[in-house]
Amino acid sequence: MAGCSRGSARAVLAFLLAPALVALLVAPARGRGGRGHGDWGAAELLPPRENAALVARFVTNVCDWGALATISTQEGVRGRPFADVLSLSDGPPAKGSGVPYFYLSPMQQSVGNLKENPYATLTMSLAETSFCRKYGFDPQSPLCAHIILSGTVIKVSEAEMDVAKNSLFIRHPEMKTWPSSHNWFFAKLNITNIWVLDYFGGPKIVTPEEYYNATFQNSSSRCRTLRLGSLTWGLEPSLQWVDFCGISVLQSVSHPPTSYGI
């Protein structure tokens, strides 16, 4: 009799659990390749992937560094691709110009390469931020949005010097303390070609015109910049983390942004 009772209890339990088990088996996995994978509307953080130009502007603005590929002038590898990590900025969070600015020195190998051949390609990825880790996206996955910008690296003009300086120093305040003996100068990538990888099916091509005409701060009221707190770091007495569309960005409080931007 006891055996029958246990058997009946197991049958009832199986009946009750069956719908849940079926749902787990057939429901798409979220964040690991299912239907919701890369559903930015559900994430409520990033621009809609249908607007590739907007995605490109967003990635440029939230990334503080990128990998710049040049053509090597070094003996032994002359003429071969040469990549290096460079700090960059297009401006304060949510107020970027879209122009990637650099603070360079003639002592850098990439600068030597650029003197002979100014053509370069820059890659930036949301793998630099907390976004891809939060949603379980591998850095190589297209769902971990990344962009590729190609063009020429040139020194900024005197008229653009203050914009470049403000853009870089608000995101990289340590640069202000770098030794002047290295002859630092401000440069930018003059963009001619843009590719956006943010979903399956290959890269999306964006023209420079589409890229610079995109405005992300007015595209969603959800994208607000919030102060998260201050900290003391090295020689810089007042840095703070701010949250822009769910991604933490470091900026300097003592070097406030100017009125430029999109």
Side-chain angles (χ1 to χ4, degrees):
M1 192 72 177
C4 292
S5 298
R6 286 195 295 271
S8 299
R10 284 195 294 267
V12 171
L13 183 61
F15 176 78
L16 293 174
L17 290 177
L21 292 173
V22 171
L24 287 173
L25 290 172
V26 302
R30 298 190 64 81
R32 292 291 183 182
R35 186 174 56 199
H37 194 55
D39 186 349
W40 289 0
E44 295 186 352
L45 293 176
L46 303 179
R49 61 175 179 265
E50 291 79 13
N51 192 335
L54 200 60
V55 172
R57 288 294 300 274
F58 182 87
V59 173
T60 298
N61 188 239
V62 299
C63 289
D64 289 328
W65 56 271
L68 187 76
T70 58
I71 301 300
S72 178
T73 58
Q74 282 188 310
E75 292 302 324
V77 290
R78 176 176 287 274
R80 299 180 187 177
F82 182 93
D84 197 7
V85 170
L86 296 179
S87 296
L88 56 85
S89 174
D90 81 324
K95 295 184 182 297
S97 65
V99 178
Y101 290 108
F102 308 100
Y103 199 38
L104 303 178
S105 165
M107 299 176 68
Q108 293 173 282
Q109 182 58 44
S110 292
V111 174
N113 297 341
L114 291 167
K115 286 182 179 178
E116 188 169 307
N117 185 340
Y119 287 96
T121 299
L122 174 68
T123 299
M124 292 173 283
S125 169
L126 289 187
E128 301 174 34
T129 74
S130 59
F131 176 80
C132 298
R133 292 190 298 273
K134 180 178 180 181
Y135 291 97
F137 300 153
D138 187 87
Q140 190 172 325
S141 168
L143 299 167
C144 183
H146 57 287
I147 62 174
I148 302 170
L149 311 178
S150 188
T152 55
V153 176
I154 59 175
K155 287 185 177 181
V156 301
S157 65
E158 287 293 331
E160 199 174 1
M161 191 77 69
D162 286 342
V163 173
K165 180 178 180 179
N166 289 332
S167 296
L168 285 160
F169 286 6
I170 193 173
R171 303 287 284 272
H172 305 279
E174 179 189 331
M175 288 179 171
K176 292 181 284 186
T177 68
W178 289 358
S180 58
S181 59
H182 288 202
N183 298 316
W184 300 98
F185 63 93
F186 297 101
K188 67 178 181 180
L189 180 65
N190 184 27
I191 302 170
T192 57
N193 301 86
I194 302 166
W195 296 267
V196 177
L197 291 97
D198 63 351
Y199 202 67
F200 303 108
K204 304 166 185 175
I205 296 176
V206 175
T207 67
E209 292 75 19
E210 292 169 336
Y211 174 79
Y212 286 115
N213 286 333
T215 55
F216 53 74
Q217 64 265 55
N218 294 325
S219 64
S220 172
S221 60
R222 296 180 305 232
C223 291
R224 296 176 297 159
T225 302
L226 305 174
R227 182 177 300 179
L228 298 182
S230 301
L231 67 158
T232 300
W233 188 18
L235 299 176
E236 179 60 41
S238 54
L239 296 175
Q240 70 177 14
W241 288 100
V242 297
D243 184 87
F244 173 50
C245 284
I247 295 177
S248 296
V249 179
L250 186 68
Q251 73 173 22
S252 171
V253 182
S254 60
H255 199 86
T258 56
S259 59
Y260 67 89
I262 55 176

